Amino acid sequence: MTFKNILLSKKDRLAQITIHRPKKLNALNKDTIVELSSAFEALEEDTNTKVIILTGSGEKAFVAGADISEFANFSEEEGSRLARAGQKMLFDFIENLSTPVIAAINGFALGGGLELAMSCHFRIASDNAKMGLPEVSLGVIPGYGGTQRLPQLVGKGKAMEMIMTAAMISADEAKDYGLVNYVTKQEELLALAEKIASKILRNSSVAIHAAIRAINSGFEEGINGFDVEIDAFGKCFGTEDFKEGTSAFLDKRKPNF
Ligand code: COA
């Protein structure tokens, strides 16, 4: 598979996707969204990939938003098609991947860029990062899940303020809000992402998949997350990983998942 707007690299069971349109601050045009979707799909199918890090190229931006030049002349119908297709193809797809995805926010994460980071399973940021949903300053609202995921992560009041003011927050503020888990120096960001990934890699990927599903189900309309958890918990008992994990503990050795 060859890509124009993203870079894909693999180190053992850890994959890294880098959004690579540095001259446009990695803004998400249609081609980039399609490439990202294909890359995530391929990594999900690759049984050897157990964690994915998503970051942006260069030192300035993770992603400075959806590509404004592409939708400036859109009609209502085209606008809703853009949001629907993007959500399905990329944002909802990432959130529901069985492979954990860590967003390493290395600079501006604005609009669709912050929405992309929020669709990842969790986020870390460099201390120069700036985050915001500036859509209302363009006369539009977040369309890639931002009005739903931001309140889930930071609470309704802070989400309302961030969206209404269109203001950017600093990496430290984002950490206070619970939007990112850690803040570090830019040159140490990927090393931190890899360190966290290495902790995840020690664990059962089958159980991690079940945990992602159970956690996400709590945010789905009409679904009882506790019931999903009970079902998924029970199913774990039928897996090889459960046998390996429990016998390794009893044998006082490290599990080999
Ligand atoms: N869509 C399309 N192009 C974008 C973009 C976006 N979301 N964000 C940045 N770019 C482009 C700029 O047009 C510029 O291209 P050019 O050199 O061909 O003119 C290039 O990226 C560099 O951006 P520039 O604005 O010159 O950098 P800056 O350091 O002065 O400002 C930002 C950085 C992030 C503050 C500014 O680019 C910005 O406000 N971007 C839009 C953010 C936004 O509203 N995103 C939400 C979209 S829904």
Side-chain angles (χ1 to χ4, degrees):
M1 206 177 319
T2 52
F3 297 114
K4 216 166 54 158
N5 299 316
I6 64 172
L7 308 169
L8 178 56
S9 61
K10 283 197 66 183
K11 221 192 275 175
D12 299 325
R13 295 177 299 159
L14 175 64
Q16 183 177 317
I17 300 176
T18 307
I19 302 151
H20 185 60
R21 289 185 80 209
K23 287 190 183 139
K24 295 289 173 188
L25 302 185
N26 305 323
L28 291 179
N29 61 358
K30 197 169 166 226
D31 288 350
T32 308
I33 289 185
V34 170
E35 289 187 11
L36 280 169
S37 173
S38 313
F40 277 111
E41 210 175 320
L43 292 173
E44 177 80 342
E45 278 166 20
D46 172 16
T47 49
N48 189 44
T49 296
K50 302 296 186 192
V51 181
I52 303 168
I53 295 169
L54 177 65
T55 193
S57 197
E59 292 175 358
K60 201 166 164 185
F62 173 73
V63 170
D67 192 318
I68 298 168
S69 64
E70 272 192 349
F71 62 71
N73 297 316
F74 271 14
S75 65
E76 286 179 31
E77 180 52 38
E78 288 170 311
S80 58
R81 223 181 299 138
L82 178 79
R84 191 173 299 112
Q87 288 196 18
K88 186 163 184 285
M89 186 192 300
L90 187 60
F91 296 75
D92 295 354
F93 186 68
I94 293 175
E95 183 167 52
N96 292 303
L97 283 181
S98 62
T99 314
V101 186
I102 306 170
I105 303 175
N106 56 308
F108 289 115
L110 302 174
L114 181 56
E115 291 175 297
L116 183 64
M118 290 194 294
S119 68
C120 297
H121 296 119
F122 61 90
R123 291 141 292 285
I124 64 173
S126 54
D127 53 13
N128 64 312
K130 294 234 181 307
M131 285 158 251
L133 292 180
E135 284 86 347
V136 298
S137 71
L138 299 166
V140 68
I141 67 166
Y144 288 142
T147 64
Q148 305 305 301
R149 292 193 183 98
L150 188 62
Q152 285 169 9
L153 288 163
V154 307
K156 188 173 167 185
K158 287 196 171 80
M160 285 280 191
E161 183 184 343
M162 280 180 70
I163 291 172
M164 287 176 192
T165 60
M168 292 186 211
I169 59 170
S170 68
D172 286 334
E173 283 172 304
K175 183 161 175 282
D176 286 347
Y177 282 22
L179 188 51
V180 303
N181 295 3
Y182 303 97
V183 176
T184 185
K185 290 186 189 136
Q186 186 165 58
E187 57 275 23
E188 290 165 13
L189 182 68
L190 288 175
L192 175 60
E194 289 180 16
K195 190 173 159 201
I196 299 168
S198 71
K199 290 187 189 170
I200 297 173
L201 286 168
R202 287 183 212 142
N203 301 319
S204 157
S205 55
V206 177
I208 286 172
H209 180 196
I212 292 172
R213 235 174 9 95
I215 293 168
N216 282 346
S217 68
F219 296 95
E220 279 175 46
E221 186 87 23
I223 293 186
N224 184 323
F226 290 96
D227 287 341
V228 174
E229 182 184 280
I230 290 165
D231 183 55
F233 178 79
K235 288 205 171 94
C236 288
F237 287 74
T239 65
E240 285 303 315
D241 277 11
F242 177 71
K243 284 190 200 116
E244 171 60 13
T246 48
S247 36
F249 178 80
L250 296 172
D251 296 346
K252 300 192 186 305
R253 62 174 172 83
K254 287 208 161 77
N256 182 18
F257 292 120

